[in-house]
Amino acid sequence: MSGNAKFMMPGMSLLGSGALLDAGEEIRKLGYKKALVVTDKPLVDIGLAAKVTDMLNQNGINSAIYSGTQPNPTVTNVREGLKLYTDSECDCVVSLGGGSPHDCAKGIALLAGNGGEIGDYEGVDKSAQPAAPLIAINTTAGTASEMTMFCIITDEERHIKMAIVDKHTTPLIAVNDPDLMMAMPKSLTAATGMDALTHAIEAYVSINATPITDACAIKAINLIRDYLIRAVDDGLDKEAREQMAYAEFLAGMAFNNAGLGLVHAMAHQLGGFYNLPHGVCNAILLPHVERYNSAKAAPRLKDVAEALGRNVAGVTAEEGASLALESIEVMAKRVGIPSGLSALGVKREDFPVLASNALKDACGVTNPVQGSHDEIMEIFEQAM
């Protein structure tokens, strides 16, 4: 759709079984001496953080661990991590986990290189200097934060999620080893998988889509169609885990360059206001936002229906779009996503502030239909 495009991703991406072992050697080659490992308590408790620090140590790299990352990382998390980075005299950051540790690490690295508070960088490309070097080791198949320039941090005082879209937050190395994803519970597998599907679809209908992002998005949708349910049903299905790792990475390549839309702009507000899981919010909102988008993007949504396995031969664009929405809803239900926002405790009286904040979210700028406050309120209502 866009006539002038940039394409951005990490300089190196390590994918496939055993990629974690390769990561240590690559970090060693870069010459870093001490890493701040940013993760969360559950990954420390199951021994995965120790596995990473052992890998670093075997390659001559010392480390300190910040494990305070919350499921929706906060301004406080970034401040605490930055203090540990400085006090420990680290020279690089290694994030371990899903989107939350990666986003927290991006915030820490950005401030380590630029100073100030993380809120100073809300918006698009607000930093002047490179961030501290960041290597992102992924343990989920959904957010693609390990390879994108998107960083989402919750401002606890304002009860909103800040969207920081900055080229300097792109990790130097992204690591996707499906062996690290085998322990993901069903609920997290489902939520992160639906997050990846949302990334691919929003990128495909974006006003900034290009043939390159289209190819990434459609292939991601194909893989999610074939492997998400398998991964949810059997977390030890190695083929499904590996293919979902590729799917989320492809979806990340798509949205990192084509952008996101109203699904994410609205989901960020729900996550910041109620501290809800991001992928679940996306999954519930996705069919409702795309129904709204079908006024301008029906032909593209017909392509989505075909990528999801529907027969679209001889149907109109509008009919094809309806098939896409139906397929999204069927998949969400099959993997255990709640049917509406009311099940998450969302309250109608909060719609006005949620809609106002969604309009300000940087992720909504590439939506094919630029929604008004009242229209976003109506989408929230439909999603209840």
Side-chain angles (χ1 to χ4, degrees):
M1 292 182 187
S2 175
N4 190 4
K6 293 188 293 186
F7 195 85
M8 300 182 67
M9 61 183 294
M12 178 179 294
S13 300
L14 305 174
L15 301 103
S17 181
L20 179 63
L21 297 178
D22 297 333
E25 183 179 353
E26 295 299 336
I27 299 170
R28 177 179 57 78
K29 288 177 183 177
L30 294 172
Y32 303 125
K33 301 301 182 184
K34 188 167 187 180
L36 177 69
V37 177
V38 178
T39 188
D40 55 32
K41 189 175 183 298
L43 293 182
V44 172
D45 291 344
I46 66 172
L48 204 51
K51 189 172 183 179
V52 170
T53 56
D54 287 347
M55 174 271 290
L56 292 170
N57 187 58
Q58 290 166 12
N59 284 277
I61 304 162
N62 294 320
S63 60
I65 296 180
Y66 175 70
S67 61
T69 309
Q70 300 300 304
N72 289 303
T74 64
V75 170
T76 298
N77 291 157
V78 173
R79 286 176 183 155
E80 290 173 347
L82 178 64
K83 185 177 187 302
L84 183 57
Y85 178 92
T86 303
D87 291 349
S88 301
E89 298 182 334
C90 296
D91 58 3
C92 67
V93 180
V94 174
S95 58
L96 171 68
S100 298
H102 297 323
D103 283 1
C104 185
K106 287 177 178 181
I108 294 166
L110 197 64
L111 294 190
N114 288 268
E117 292 284 343
I118 194 61
D120 300 338
Y121 304 97
E122 184 177 6
V124 180
D125 282 337
K126 294 293 182 69
S127 69
Q129 302 295 325
L134 172 61
I135 296 90
I137 301 170
N138 204 26
T139 64
T140 67
T143 71
S145 184
E146 82 283 356
M147 56 81 61
T148 67
M149 58 183 173
F150 286 70
C151 171
I152 309 300
I153 302 295
T154 297
D155 183 329
E156 309 100 311
E157 294 184 3
R158 293 187 291 161
H159 298 287
I160 65 167
K161 282 190 174 186
M162 299 183 292
I164 298 158
V165 186
D166 194 306
K167 61 182 179 293
H168 288 141
T169 67
T170 306
L172 291 179
I173 301 175
V175 182
N176 272 282
D177 187 335
D179 295 345
L180 304 180
M181 302 174 185
M182 304 293 265
M184 267 200 299
K186 288 180 182 290
S187 59
L188 184 59
T189 301
T192 54
M194 291 301 295
D195 191 18
L197 180 64
T198 304
H199 293 155
I201 293 174
E202 288 213 283
Y204 193 72
V205 303
S206 166
I207 61 174
N208 289 336
T210 69
I212 298 175
T213 61
D214 285 351
C216 294
I218 291 296
K219 185 61 178 178
I221 295 169
N222 292 158
L223 291 172
I224 293 165
R225 173 199 69 202
D226 292 340
Y227 292 101
L228 175 57
I229 291 172
R230 279 179 53 177
V232 170
D233 287 350
D234 180 5
L236 298 180
D237 184 333
K238 191 164 185 176
E239 182 187 19
R241 288 295 193 194
E242 185 160 26
Q243 294 304 313
M244 280 303 300
Y246 279 110
E248 73 92 31
F249 194 87
L250 284 162
M253 290 169 68
F255 88 80
N256 196 40
N257 295 282
L260 293 166
L262 275 180
V263 180
H264 274 76
M266 295 170 69
H268 289 157
Q269 311 323 312
L270 295 170
F273 204 84
Y274 300 105
N275 197 30
L276 295 172
H278 175 67
V280 174
C281 294
N282 275 341
I284 293 172
L285 289 168
L286 180 58
H288 302 285
V289 172
E290 297 315 323
R291 183 174 294 110
Y292 173 70
N293 284 338
S294 65
K296 286 192 175 181
R300 296 227 130 204
L301 289 168
K302 179 181 175 181
D303 294 342
V304 169
E306 185 174 23
L308 285 168
R310 303 303 292 266
N311 183 359
V312 298
V315 306
T316 66
E318 290 72 22
E319 290 168 338
S322 294
L323 290 174
L325 304 181
E326 180 183 286
S327 295
I328 293 166
E329 290 174 332
V330 168
M331 181 176 287
K333 182 177 181 180
R334 174 64 176 78
V335 298
I337 300 295
S339 60
L341 296 176
S342 58
L344 304 181
V346 176
K347 299 176 182 177
R348 286 182 171 86
E349 56 262 36
D350 297 328
F351 285 178
V353 66
L354 293 171
S356 294
N357 290 337
L359 279 172
K360 301 171 187 175
D361 192 294
C363 287
V365 297
T366 67
N367 203 67
V369 184
Q370 298 303 309
S372 69
H373 183 273
D374 288 346
E375 287 170 329
I376 294 174
M377 290 258 293
E378 178 58 28
I379 296 170
F380 274 126
E381 177 61 39
Q382 292 168 5
M384 287 292 280

